[in-house]
């Protein structure tokens, strides 16, 4: 439901039933997940990462001094909202009233057609393709609801979000990745620099290969010191090393070219 629900063109999934037939579901829709776990950093959920809009939350007490400076006029004791005073009674009536309005639906179709039509676009954006795909429907809905005045305003807002997310959310590497990056640098950092110099001189560099046993020993070392934040097996290591640009061969770990 999560893997296929982000794109209308690939949203159909089938589930086998006891009578031998398959039941089909169309799962395209935004989905809100609340979790205390860092789903966007979990290597086992790597397929989901590029389909997530992460909105971090934390207690006001945990805000840094710089973060609190943005709310100088805010009194946490007097101005905070009483959660018990909030309810969602009647939200479904508002929802259906909004989307049963034919003018809203026409406007939605108009904006979505502008954003997704092929050929030369009337706008520009700096988002990665996977970020753009999951931003389109949010942008269109915001335009219909009046959140943004026009398409450039909406795109500018989403670009700022992705700049923030790339710098502050998705750049947090699990400890195992940081240790592997340090290990790779220890093993081939000097040779990699020498290869650059050889290539600049018009000569071919030496293939970079890492001994699998040395990598395994390094991970065991960090594991015994309690320095890894996830349980690792061979499959996990292969996935992480692949994401770092390495593949396991009969010769050892070889850098992808």
């Amino acid at each position: 439901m999560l893997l296929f629900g982000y794109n209308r063109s690939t949203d159909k999934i089938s589930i086998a039933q006891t009578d031998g037939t398959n039941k089909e579901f169309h799962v395209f829709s935004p989905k809100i997940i609340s979790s205390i776990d860092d789903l966007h950093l979990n290597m086992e959920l790597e397929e989901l990462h590029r389909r997530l809009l992460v909105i971090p939350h934390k207690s006001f007490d945990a805000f840094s001094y710089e973060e609190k400076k943005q709310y100088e006029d805010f009194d946490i004791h007097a101005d905070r909202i009483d959660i018990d005073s909030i309810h969602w009674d009647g939200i479904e009536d508002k929802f259906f009233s909004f989307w049963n309005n034919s003018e809203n639906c026409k406007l939605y179709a108009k904006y979505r057609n502008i954003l997704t039509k092929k050929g030369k676009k009337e706008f520009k954006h700096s988002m990665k393709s996977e970020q753009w795909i999951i931003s389109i429907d949010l942008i269109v809905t915001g335009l219909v609801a009046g959140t943004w005045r026009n398409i450039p305003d909406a795109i500018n807002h989403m670009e700022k979000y992705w700049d923030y997310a790339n710098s502050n959310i998705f750049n947090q590497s699990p400890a195992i990745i940081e240790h592997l990056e340090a290990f790779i640098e220890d093993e081939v950092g000097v040779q990699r620099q020498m290869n650059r110099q050889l290539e600049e001189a018009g000569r071919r560099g030496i293939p970079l290969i890492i001994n699998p046993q040395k990598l395994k020993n390094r991970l065991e070392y960090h594991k015994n010191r309690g320095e890894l934040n996830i349980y690792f097996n061979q499959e996990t290591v292969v996935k992480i090393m692949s994401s770092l640009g390495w593949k396991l061969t009969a010769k050892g770990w070889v850098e992808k070219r």
Side-chain angles (χ1 to χ4, degrees):
M1 186 174 69
L2 294 172
L3 288 175
F4 293 89
Y6 78 103
N7 191 328
R8 190 188 300 274
S9 63
T10 59
D11 78 332
K12 186 169 69 175
I13 61 175
S14 298
I15 297 177
Q17 301 187 98
T18 54
D19 62 0
T21 61
N22 290 330
K23 190 170 185 178
E24 293 184 345
F25 296 87
H26 290 276
V27 294
F28 172 70
S29 73
K31 298 165 185 66
I32 299 175
I33 305 171
S34 176
S35 175
I36 61 171
D37 296 317
D38 294 329
L39 303 180
H40 58 291
L41 301 177
N42 189 326
M43 291 303 301
E44 295 180 2
L45 303 177
E46 186 177 5
E47 277 293 306
L48 287 180
H49 292 175
R50 66 179 181 273
R51 298 165 188 174
L52 295 175
L53 284 156
V54 180
I55 305 174
H57 292 72
K58 62 182 177 182
S59 168
F60 191 74
D61 294 336
F63 276 39
S64 66
Y65 174 75
E66 288 299 318
E67 290 172 330
K68 287 183 177 180
K69 282 178 63 176
Q70 302 177 56
Y71 306 94
E72 291 180 346
D73 297 328
F74 176 73
D75 184 334
I76 185 63
H77 301 292
D79 299 331
R80 66 179 175 181
I81 298 173
D82 180 7
I83 298 298
D84 292 332
S85 69
I86 299 174
H87 63 82
W88 294 96
D89 294 346
I91 186 65
E92 66 277 11
D93 296 328
K94 297 287 187 180
F95 178 86
F96 287 115
S97 174
F98 186 88
W99 290 115
N100 282 331
N101 183 309
S102 62
E103 293 303 315
N104 288 340
C105 294
K106 290 177 183 177
L107 195 57
Y108 182 95
K110 172 188 173 183
Y111 280 128
R112 202 175 199 287
N113 181 58
I114 293 173
L115 295 183
T116 59
K117 71 176 182 180
K118 296 180 180 179
K120 188 176 181 180
K121 301 288 193 301
E122 302 173 7
F123 57 86
K124 294 182 180 180
H125 69 83
S126 60
M127 291 175 251
K128 297 178 182 178
S129 59
E130 62 267 23
Q131 296 171 345
W132 174 246
I133 288 174
I134 64 173
S135 299
I136 291 173
D137 286 284
L138 183 61
I139 288 174
V140 173
T141 302
L143 289 168
V144 176
T147 304
W148 298 295
R149 294 176 299 170
N150 50 49
I151 290 176
D153 278 353
I155 289 178
N156 181 58
H157 187 101
M158 291 308 300
E159 285 178 332
K160 287 181 178 179
Y161 163 78
W162 285 115
D163 286 343
Y164 171 83
N166 292 335
S167 301
N168 298 280
I169 299 175
F170 293 106
N171 70 333
Q172 304 172 48
S173 299
I176 189 171
I177 292 181
E178 295 182 6
H179 288 307
L180 283 174
E181 288 176 332
F183 169 75
I184 291 170
E185 180 62 26
D186 291 343
E187 292 297 305
V188 300
V190 174
Q191 185 60 57
R192 182 178 281 160
Q193 181 61 33
M194 292 176 62
N195 280 353
R196 291 196 190 101
Q197 295 174 354
L198 288 171
E199 290 169 0
E200 289 173 359
R203 299 167 60 187
R204 180 176 296 182
I206 299 174
L208 301 181
I209 301 176
I210 294 177
N211 186 308
Q213 186 61 52
K214 292 183 70 174
L215 185 147
K216 181 180 179 181
N217 291 343
R218 182 69 165 259
L219 287 177
E220 287 292 340
Y221 167 79
H222 290 298
K223 174 186 174 183
N224 293 334
R225 289 168 57 92
E227 295 174 343
L228 300 182
N229 58 332
I230 64 171
Y231 170 79
F232 70 91
N233 53 29
Q234 184 65 10
E235 182 181 2
T236 303
V237 174
V238 169
K239 284 183 178 180
I240 296 175
M241 288 296 286
S242 178
S243 70
L244 294 176
W246 294 79
K247 62 181 178 180
L248 184 59
T249 71
K251 297 180 180 179
W253 289 102
V254 178
E255 188 174 37
K256 299 176 185 178
R257 304 288 290 185

